[in-house]
Amino acid sequence: MSADSPKIDTSVPHNARIWNYWLGGKDNYPVDREMGEQIRSFFPEIVDNAVADRAFLVRAVTCLAEEGVRQFLDIGTGLPTHNNTHEVAQSVAPESRVVYVDNDPLVLAHARALLTGSEEGTTDYVDADLRDPDTILSEAARTLDLSKPVGLMLLGVINFVDDDAEVRAILDRLLGALAPGSFLVVSHPTDDIDHERAHEVAAAWNEKGTPKLTVRTAEGIRALFDGLELLEPGVVSCSLWRPEETEVGEVRPVGEYGGVARKN
């Protein structure tokens, strides 16, 4: 790592690294594994949530690519793992252009692993925070044509902004800059499946982890899509959003809700 590389704090557990641990990745530290195991000890389903969230990303990106979307803006991408947004999109349409946005130093250090898309397409990375949509948009515009439809991916990231008014302002700014025919994809932890344990997880996380976690109701998550046209089946457990035929009869709800909506 060069002298000007971002400093990685290995003394504090971090969302991206814990998520990576639950997904079976190697890009995490003892402090992340300790927190991951602490949460899993009383909420073992958290690993199912992580897996279901990733599977939801795959189905949602595939859906948008099949709808003709060729540009994706993935904010809060986290650490590289299998079935990243560019891999899924470019497997359907190799010319797809994908911009990843994150502000975690370890993610930044691994950014080059994301920048290996198809020869026909483009993959880029922006170091920015969800709370700074203007920077995200100006940087993304170097790669994406914002006058054409974009798939805006916000998976497991809005839950790190606790103020509903701030969330609304961020969404309005991002969506307002995107062309009609664009889509919003969101996944978010909910307390509708198991209210008590969902808040127990958040409390354990917020005691040591960073950034701080907010759990919302299904109604609160649906409100994120206000003004947009929700695709069927609406806002549901990520595992129940258009499951593959092979999954039907085996899937169970997880405490992570997801939805996809079109900007008309």
Side-chain angles (χ1 to χ4, degrees), residues 60-70 92 181 183 231 242 262:
V61 172
T62 300
C63 169
L64 298 196
E66 290 175 347
E67 288 273 343
V69 175
R70 296 294 179 263
V92 178
F183 289 83
L231 302 191
R242 302 190 180 187
R262 178 188 289 106

Side-chain angles (χ1 to χ4, degrees), residues 3-260:
D4 59 352
S5 294
K7 178 174 172 51
I8 297 169
D9 187 351
T10 62
S11 66
V12 178
H14 192 279
N15 163 61
R17 303 193 306 252
I18 297 172
W19 205 253
N20 175 265
Y21 172 63
W22 284 332
L23 286 171
K26 307 293 185 185
D27 299 312
N28 46 72
Y29 296 98
V31 67
D32 308 305
R33 297 191 283 275
E34 180 182 350
M35 172 63 81
E37 284 303 314
Q38 177 187 340
I39 293 174
R40 186 155 67 172
S41 69
F42 64 84
F43 190 44
E45 299 92 334
I46 193 67
V47 176
D48 296 334
N49 286 15
V51 171
D53 185 76
R54 176 58 51 163
F56 168 67
L57 178 149
V58 172
R59 296 195 301 273
V61 172
T62 300
C63 169
L64 298 196
E66 290 175 347
E67 288 273 343
V69 175
R70 296 294 179 263
Q71 304 186 110
F72 294 83
L73 178 57
D74 187 337
I75 302 175
T77 177
L79 287 159
T81 181
H82 61 288
N83 289 331
N84 298 292
T85 296
H86 75 281
E87 294 168 330
V88 179
Q90 291 174 357
S91 72
V92 178
E95 70 274 23
S96 297
R97 306 170 74 84
V98 179
V99 172
Y100 290 104
V101 181
D102 209 297
N103 70 332
D104 176 71
L106 187 61
V107 177
L108 184 60
H110 284 75
R112 288 183 180 176
L114 288 172
L115 305 181
T116 53
S118 65
E119 292 183 9
E120 302 93 331
T122 303
T123 310
D124 201 1
Y125 183 88
V126 172
D127 179 22
D129 190 285
L130 175 63
R131 291 180 172 88
D132 188 4
D134 288 333
T135 294
I136 290 173
L137 290 166
S138 64
E139 292 292 310
R142 296 181 306 172
T143 302
L144 307 179
D145 181 352
L146 301 185
S147 69
K148 297 179 180 178
V150 172
L152 174 60
M153 314 291 296
L154 295 171
L155 275 69
V157 63
I158 292 177
N159 38 281
F160 295 114
V161 181
D162 63 351
D163 184 83
D164 289 345
E166 184 179 9
V167 169
R168 186 72 264 160
I170 291 168
L171 288 174
D172 287 348
R173 178 69 184 97
L174 291 170
L175 290 166
L178 302 184
S182 294
F183 289 83
L184 172 65
V185 181
V186 172
S187 69
H188 195 298
T190 181
D191 59 9
D192 274 42
I193 302 293
D194 190 332
H195 185 277
E196 184 175 337
R197 285 202 297 167
H199 287 278
E200 191 178 353
V201 168
W205 184 288
N206 291 339
E207 185 178 351
K208 298 178 182 178
T210 181
K212 302 306 179 185
L213 175 67
T214 296
V215 176
R216 289 184 167 89
T217 63
E219 182 181 357
I221 299 170
R222 289 188 188 98
L224 302 174
F225 296 95
D226 284 354
L228 304 175
E229 177 192 353
L230 270 169
L231 302 191
E232 292 293 336
V235 176
V236 296
S237 168
C238 284
S239 58
L240 302 179
W241 196 90
R242 302 190 180 187
E244 302 292 339
E245 287 185 12
T246 54
E247 298 174 297
V248 174
E250 304 173 354
V251 244
R252 64 169 194 80
V254 297
E256 191 89 6
Y257 274 15
V260 179

